[in-house]
Amino acid sequence: MFKDTPAFSGFSVDDIAQAKAFYAGTLGIEVSEEEDELILHFGGSTKVLIYAKGEYHVPATFTVLNFPVPNVEQAVDELTQMGVKFEVYDLPYLKTDDKGIARGQGGPNIAWFKDPSGNILSVLEA
């Protein structure tokens, strides 16, 4: 039924203008705007919908968007210079270094950060 459907994902934010500044300005993603929604445009015609929930927004407690990069450390350094703060975890099942990078833990090197609405995003080495 859905095999040939151009499916897309979406998540909410509390402030569309702030989200647009972050996703387009800081992260450099092509963004189009329609009323209280943003559409993020990625290679291969992939799209992600961001919609406003204002005061009813609750940040996702899981990763909503992953950005594959050739070198996680370089991506973390560049984003840090642009003011992005990476999460540092010291949990029994997940540990990151001081930069926020989890290395050699059964998956790719990965680092997590949050958008202005508190949603969790990641850069991971691909």
Side-chain angles (χ1 to χ4, degrees):
M1 176 190 294
F2 299 120
K3 177 181 163 200
D4 295 320
T5 300
F8 62 93
S9 181
F11 56 91
S12 71
V13 295
D14 56 4
D15 185 310
I16 285 288
Q18 199 174 38
K20 184 177 182 181
F22 179 74
Y23 285 96
T26 303
L27 300 184
I29 298 168
E30 181 186 340
V31 174
S32 60
E33 190 169 4
E34 297 177 12
E35 296 181 25
D36 270 353
E37 298 177 344
L38 299 177
I39 300 171
L40 307 181
H41 300 271
F42 298 98
S45 72
T46 301
K47 297 177 184 176
V48 173
L49 172 70
I50 296 178
Y51 54 95
K53 282 186 78 177
E55 65 186 82
Y56 300 105
H57 167 73
V58 176
T61 58
F62 51 88
T63 308
V64 297
L65 196 53
N66 297 285
F67 299 101
V69 295
N71 184 309
V72 167
E73 184 141 8
Q74 181 180 353
V76 167
D77 289 345
E78 289 176 16
L79 288 166
T80 299
Q81 289 176 0
M82 291 187 279
V84 174
K85 183 180 180 293
F86 283 84
E87 300 298 302
V88 175
Y89 297 109
D90 186 13
L91 304 168
Y93 58 91
L94 176 63
K95 297 195 184 303
T96 60
D97 61 19
D98 291 343
K99 286 186 171 187
I101 302 172
R103 304 170 196 266
Q105 295 188 32
N109 292 339
I110 184 169
W112 293 271
F113 60 104
K114 294 181 179 178
D115 73 3
S117 294
N119 295 307
I120 301 170
L121 315 172
S122 84
V123 288
L124 60 113
E125 204 159 282

